[in-house]
Amino acid sequence: MEYTIKPSFKLSLNANALKIIAVTAMIVDHSTFWLVPSNSSLYVILRMFVRLAAPIMCYLISEGYFHTSNKKKYFKRLFIFALLSHYPYILYFNLTSLQATSVIWGLFMGLLALSTSQSKVMPIPVKILVILMCCLLSWTADWNYISVLWILAFGIFRKNFSLQMLSFTLIGMLFYVLPGFSITDGNAIFRLGILLVVPLLTIYDGTRGKKSFLMKWGFYIVYPVHLLVLYVLRYYIF
């Protein structure tokens, strides 16, 4: 008797799937900030699960650096959208121009730091100085220098997933989770949600997925647009 051998199913995610997850989490996160009371359990639960947006973005920026065929265009694209996203960000969160800026500026600084670390001609002291400047210049960005350090770590340890996840966890715990905890703020536990990205990255298959205009430009366009939509809804309609 012959038996038909069925191929085993292996769960995996490509870069496009990770982008969709990150964008969805980002929109839910920013909506939660406005729509859900910060002292509620729902707020804590939602914000915990959407903490994975920034780590995924940082990981994909690092991957993009090594996969892009034109690094200059990659830098230019990220820089332009960092500028375009600045005012939608401060409008929605009711901030001043110099008080803060969007996560995309931090991603740009992280990309610059990673590029610096990969230079084969730049002296190590100069590399360290440039990377420190990137951290400093990202200070007012959403996720500030944490995004820079994550992108840097993901890139430096790109060939060793265990070290990627270890460095990601140490940076996140040291600079994000622990500083946010306090005896009087039990809701800060949502910060542990950054660790939810580890299982997702574990099943990342290293491929881009289907090439399309939407996948290439979607995140860049959605970021400022969704903030403008939320701004209008928050301040002029509801």
Side-chain angles (χ1 to χ4, degrees):
M1 181 181 294
E2 295 183 357
Y3 294 89
T4 301
I5 300 175
K6 296 181 180 180
S8 59
F9 174 75
K10 182 179 179 181
L11 182 63
S12 65
L13 295 172
N14 57 35
N16 286 345
L18 287 176
K19 285 180 182 179
I20 293 172
I21 293 172
V23 169
T24 302
M26 174 189 70
I27 295 173
V28 173
D29 185 25
H30 292 161
S31 301
T32 298
F33 176 83
W34 161 41
L35 295 171
V36 183
S38 60
N39 59 351
S40 67
S41 298
L42 179 59
Y43 178 88
V44 176
I45 294 172
L46 286 175
R47 297 216 74 196
M48 175 174 284
F49 281 100
V50 297
R51 289 301 86 194
L52 49 76
I56 290 177
M57 292 176 194
C58 292
Y59 192 86
L60 292 178
I61 288 294
S62 173
E63 284 288 285
Y65 173 80
F66 293 101
H67 286 292
T68 185
S69 59
N70 192 320
K71 289 182 173 58
K72 288 184 178 180
K73 285 186 177 180
Y74 193 31
F75 273 98
K76 183 179 179 180
R77 182 164 66 243
L78 206 56
F79 178 74
I80 290 174
F81 277 91
L83 296 181
L84 292 176
S85 300
H86 175 67
Y87 279 101
Y89 181 84
I90 64 171
L91 284 173
Y92 177 62
F93 289 103
N94 195 25
L95 302 166
T96 62
S97 295
L98 299 179
Q99 186 177 356
T101 192
S102 77
V103 68
I104 301 185
W105 178 253
L107 298 181
F108 172 74
M109 283 293 123
L111 183 63
L112 181 58
L114 177 58
S115 177
T116 299
S117 74
Q118 300 301 302
S119 172
K120 296 180 179 180
V121 296
M122 193 179 297
I124 292 179
V126 177
K127 286 185 179 183
I128 294 174
L129 180 61
V130 173
I131 290 171
L132 288 175
M133 285 299 297
C134 289
C135 290
L136 181 62
L137 291 173
S138 65
W139 190 270
T140 59
D142 189 13
W143 289 93
N144 51 64
Y145 57 88
I146 298 173
S147 59
V148 176
L149 296 177
W150 275 342
I151 293 171
L152 193 60
F154 287 144
I156 291 175
F157 300 119
R158 184 168 178 263
K159 295 184 179 181
N160 190 319
F161 183 74
S162 296
L163 285 180
Q164 280 185 321
M165 294 303 98
L166 177 60
S167 58
F168 160 75
T169 302
L170 289 176
I171 292 168
M173 293 296 294
L174 184 61
F175 296 112
Y176 181 68
V177 176
L178 294 180
F181 273 97
S182 68
I183 298 176
T184 58
D185 185 11
N187 286 353
I189 193 173
F190 75 78
R191 290 170 177 258
L192 288 170
I194 60 171
L195 301 178
L196 295 174
V197 78
V198 176
L200 293 179
L201 296 182
T202 300
I203 59 175
Y204 169 58
D205 62 14
T207 65
R208 177 177 58 187
K210 186 177 180 180
K211 186 177 180 180
S212 69
F213 176 87
L214 182 61
M215 284 294 111
K216 181 177 180 179
W217 292 94
F219 168 74
Y220 298 107
I221 297 172
V222 167
Y223 191 90
V225 169
H226 93 279
L227 286 173
L228 285 175
V229 171
L230 288 175
Y231 169 71
V232 172
L233 291 175
R234 182 182 184 184
Y235 294 102
Y236 293 96
I237 297 181
F238 297 103

